[in-house]
Structures are given as C-alpha cells and as structure tokens.
Amino acid sequence: SSIVIAYLVRYRDMTLKDAHEWVKACRPRIEPNRSFIMELMRYEIELRGESSYVDDDVYSSLVRNIMDIMDVDVDVNVDES
C-alpha cells in the first residue's frame, strides 16, 4: 500500500492524507507501519514543502529528525484539536 500511496502523491498530485484515505477506502485492511508513514511524510515534504498527514507521534518524531538534520532548534507543539 505504501508504494501505491507514494505513487498517488507523486503522479496524481494527491496529498498524503488524501492518498492514504483513498487507498484505505479501496482496501480497508491496509495499515502502513510508522516507519513507512514517516518515509511517506518525508517524501511529501520533499515534494511540497509540508506534510498533510498528521499523526501526533509520527509527526513530532519526523519534525525532530528533520530539525536535527538541518541543525535547527525547534519546539514541536502538536495541536490537540
């Protein structure tokens, strides 16, 4: 499912969130693991400059990893809405 989601993000100009929801609607049993989700988020950020997918734990971890790579100090606050 991760390959299909990545394809939709890249070649069908879908957001990661929309691609994940579409694939899940077609095949409800899919559940990419956190590592794949993090890679897909990283890929979307590479393509668009931001990620549409928000999973509090994964998002916070991804932002910290990116900021570490960029050697930037940042406080990650996830909105609880």
Side-chain angles (χ1 to χ4, degrees), residues 4-5 13 19 36 44 46 48-49 54 62-64 66-67:
V4 174
I5 292 169
D13 200 33
F36 282 128
E44 185 179 37
E46 182 181 310
R48 294 194 170 83
V54 177
L62 178 64
V63 170
R64 284 189 192 97
I66 291 171
M67 293 303 122

Side-chain angles (χ1 to χ4, degrees), residues 8-42:
L8 293 171
V9 169
R10 172 76 171 136
Y11 295 104
R12 299 295 182 196
D13 200 33
M14 294 176 80
T15 65
L16 174 56
K17 181 177 186 255
D18 290 343
H20 182 262
E21 289 173 358
W22 186 82
V23 171
K24 187 112 174 139
C26 293
R27 188 165 177 94
R29 296 184 344 198
I30 69 141
E31 196 57 50
N33 69 39
R34 288 196 183 278
S35 295
F36 282 128
I37 292 294
M38 284 184 69
E39 287 304 315
L40 289 167
M41 289 173 71
R42 199 174 279 128

Side-chain angles (χ1 to χ4, degrees), residues 15-21 31 34 37-38 40-42 44-45 50-63 76-81:
T15 65
L16 174 56
K17 181 177 186 255
D18 290 343
H20 182 262
E21 289 173 358
E31 196 57 50
R34 288 196 183 278
I37 292 294
M38 284 184 69
L40 289 167
M41 289 173 71
R42 199 174 279 128
E44 185 179 37
I45 290 169
E50 63 183 6
S51 180
S52 61
Y53 191 94
V54 177
D55 175 312
D56 294 350
D57 295 333
V58 172
Y59 184 76
S60 295
S61 177
L62 178 64
V63 170
V76 177
N77 294 314
V78 176
D79 188 13
E80 306 246 345
S81 50

